[in-house]
Amino acid sequence: MRSVGTNLYSTVLGYNKETYPTGKQPENWEQFWDAKAFPGSRMLADMASGSPNLEFALLADGVPMDKIFPIDIERAFKSMARVKPFIKKFWDTGALSAQMMADKDVVLGSIWNGRLQAIAQKGAPLAIEWNQHMLQIQAYGIFKDGPNPKAAQLFVDYSMAPHPNAGMGFELNYGPINRKSFDLLPAATVANLPGSPENLKRSFLQDVHWWDENRAKVNSIWSKWILT
């Protein structure tokens, strides 16, 4: 199977604006880990969500964004252990993470940007701290032996054109893969999209190849660690 990116999404630091008025929220993952300076219930991603937030654990431990991969698994879990007592729940679905924040079960957490923005647009007092967010890519896949590979390729070609791809920003709060699509979006929309020129400066790209090679190992460690 071959694949091509469709859109950019991010795992971000979400916060409740009633608990932390904008300007007084944690501005990085080191501060998120500091439950004394920033008290309140928290959440992070479970292994069942796709991958736990080992990247953020390393950032909280002082690792620069450009040095996260390859992940030092032992160091990441030691860092996770420091924040674990303050985690109300490790979420396993995007729906659960959004519901926990909407219900104020937690006031801080890692969350997919689109999930938070969808409920914030409906009135939930939530916001995103874009600093140190993790950029991720969704993609179309075309099976080599599929029944209509030419039609599939034509569809992908069309959807990746600037105007169709810009719809990702309008409809889903996800950044388009085609850089020209950003020019078609309002400035206010672009400012809140993963992959925008300004937000790129505050992000790092998740290494899916590292996760593909190490997921089983991390899962084995996680399944024991989460029970302790």
Side-chain angles (χ1 to χ4, degrees), residues 13-22 24-26 39 41 100-109 116 123-129:
L13 196 167
Y15 64 94
N16 187 292
K17 295 190 292 183
E18 293 177 343
T19 304
Y20 301 105
T22 299
K24 296 184 179 181
Q25 81 280 3
S41 53
M100 289 177 68
M101 294 212 74
D103 293 344
K104 211 174 180 178
D105 285 338
V106 296
V107 295
L108 291 171
L116 184 144
L126 304 172
I128 290 173
E129 170 53 61

Side-chain angles (χ1 to χ4, degrees), residues 137-217:
I137 300 175
Q138 290 184 318
Y140 287 124
I142 299 176
F143 289 96
K144 292 181 180 179
D145 299 323
N148 296 296
K150 185 175 181 179
Q153 290 173 356
L154 288 172
F155 169 76
V156 171
D157 285 346
Y158 167 76
S159 64
M160 291 297 94
H163 279 85
N165 202 216
M168 291 291 183
F170 278 121
E171 302 295 336
L172 298 175
N173 295 305
Y174 288 155
I177 286 289
N178 193 320
R179 304 306 297 170
K180 294 180 180 179
S181 298
F182 283 103
D183 297 333
L184 305 175
L185 296 166
T189 300
V190 172
N192 289 294
L193 292 180
S196 70
E198 286 302 313
N199 285 336
L200 270 179
K201 301 173 185 177
R202 298 182 282 178
S203 71
F204 65 93
L205 183 65
Q206 186 181 50
D207 188 337
V208 294
H209 299 293
W210 185 92
W211 275 106
D212 183 54
E213 294 171 356
N214 292 276
R215 190 177 305 279
K217 179 179 181 180

